[in-house]
Amino acid sequence: FSYALAHFMMQKKYRELWQKFFAQRGIELGKDYTVTREEDANIKDSEWDNDNKPGGGRIDLLVKDNKNIIVIENKIKSDINTKKSDKGGITQLNRYVNYVKWLIKHRKGEGEEPTSHFIILTPKYNIPEIGEDMKNVYSIVTYYDLYYFLQQNMSDFEDDSNFVDFYNAMKRHTYENVNDYLYYEMQEKFYRRIRK
């Protein structure tokens, strides 16, 4: 899903759609945004190591324009990760925040400092536990939220079979639990056989 999201976010004909999606979350994203998949969040500057502000890991989706940096961590079946070098409750979420702070500190050019936004995209059945220090930093967006948004805006994109397939594949992650989806899938197969 991260690859599909990156693909459709970068397509010119979908840019207004994603701008609208982020606008509903209070993020005014410009048309010239970029999307990076698997952004390497290692901090190269040794002064940050001395301040005990580690980076590291790979950010699922990093969306940037001249006013915003958006981190999207896609969590379908996994939890918030740590690594051996993480100490004192540091997780990948902390490391990504540190990395974005480092990016802002070392950005090139003049102008207004970009605003950072942190999102965890997750199914309702696997909302991860977030440490107290990150609860006010990261917002949770469920696949149901995204699916419902796309459903409301689908009429403009029904001619793109790849986008429709992406949208349909997302449905399995909109249920409260996995068993609900399995029941729905079984019911759909049963109805198809009856129709045949």
Side-chain angles (χ1 to χ4, degrees):
F1 280 98
S2 294
Y3 282 107
L5 282 164
H7 172 78
F8 288 113
M9 284 181 178
M10 286 301 294
Q11 299 301 308
K12 189 174 183 178
K13 74 179 193 174
Y14 296 110
R15 286 187 175 254
E16 286 182 23
L17 174 74
W18 296 108
Q19 286 175 289
K20 185 176 176 182
F21 175 75
F22 286 113
Q24 288 184 351
R25 277 142 191 83
I27 305 169
E28 296 301 322
L29 192 63
K31 286 185 180 180
D32 294 328
Y33 66 84
T34 61
V35 180
T36 306
R37 176 79 182 99
E38 292 287 330
E39 172 82 8
D40 181 358
N42 283 309
I43 294 172
K44 316 289 189 284
D45 193 338
S46 62
E47 71 184 66
W48 278 69
D49 293 334
N50 295 334
D51 288 343
N52 196 24
K53 294 182 179 175
R58 296 198 173 275
I59 296 171
D60 288 332
L61 294 166
L62 187 70
V63 182
K64 292 192 294 189
D65 68 3
N66 59 345
K67 294 183 180 178
N68 299 283
I69 297 176
I70 307 166
V71 169
I72 302 174
E73 185 57 25
N74 192 9
K75 291 288 179 196
I76 292 182
K77 292 186 179 175
S78 65
D79 204 353
I80 304 303
N81 298 321
T82 58
K83 58 184 187 179
K84 288 179 184 177
S85 60
D86 287 338
K87 294 180 177 130
I90 296 290
T91 67
Q92 70 183 123
L93 302 183
N94 303 87
R95 285 186 266 115
Y96 299 162
V97 169
N98 291 339
Y99 176 70
V100 169
K101 286 179 183 175
W102 181 81
L103 275 181
I104 291 170
K105 181 180 175 183
H106 291 84
R107 68 192 178 93
K108 294 179 178 147
E110 297 299 319
E112 198 176 318
E113 184 176 291
T115 304
S116 53
H117 311 273
F118 299 88
I119 295 170
I120 297 174
L121 179 61
T122 184
K124 284 184 173 185
Y125 62 78
N126 189 42
I127 295 178
E129 297 250 351
I130 301 173
E132 287 300 318
D133 60 333
M134 291 290 114
K135 282 187 178 174
N136 293 328
V137 177
Y138 281 84
S139 59
I140 300 285
V141 175
T142 67
Y143 269 90
Y144 177 82
D145 300 329
L146 178 55
Y147 184 84
Y148 182 75
F149 168 79
L150 293 176
Q151 186 178 59
Q152 301 305 307
N153 294 278
M154 200 62 186
S155 59
D156 296 337
F157 307 104
E158 289 177 331
D159 62 331
D160 184 338
S161 61
N162 290 327
F163 191 81
V164 171
D165 287 346
F166 162 67
Y167 166 79
N168 288 333
M170 197 180 305
K171 183 167 183 139
R172 73 178 340 186
H173 299 302
T174 64
Y175 291 88
E176 291 287 334
N177 63 61
V178 177
N179 289 337
D180 288 346
Y181 175 74
L182 293 174
Y183 180 79
Y184 162 79
E185 193 175 51
M186 178 195 69
Q187 194 175 34
E188 285 296 304
K189 287 177 182 176
F190 185 66
Y191 290 153
R192 278 195 300 271
R193 287 189 180 194
I194 289 174
R195 283 191 291 268
K196 280 185 180 180

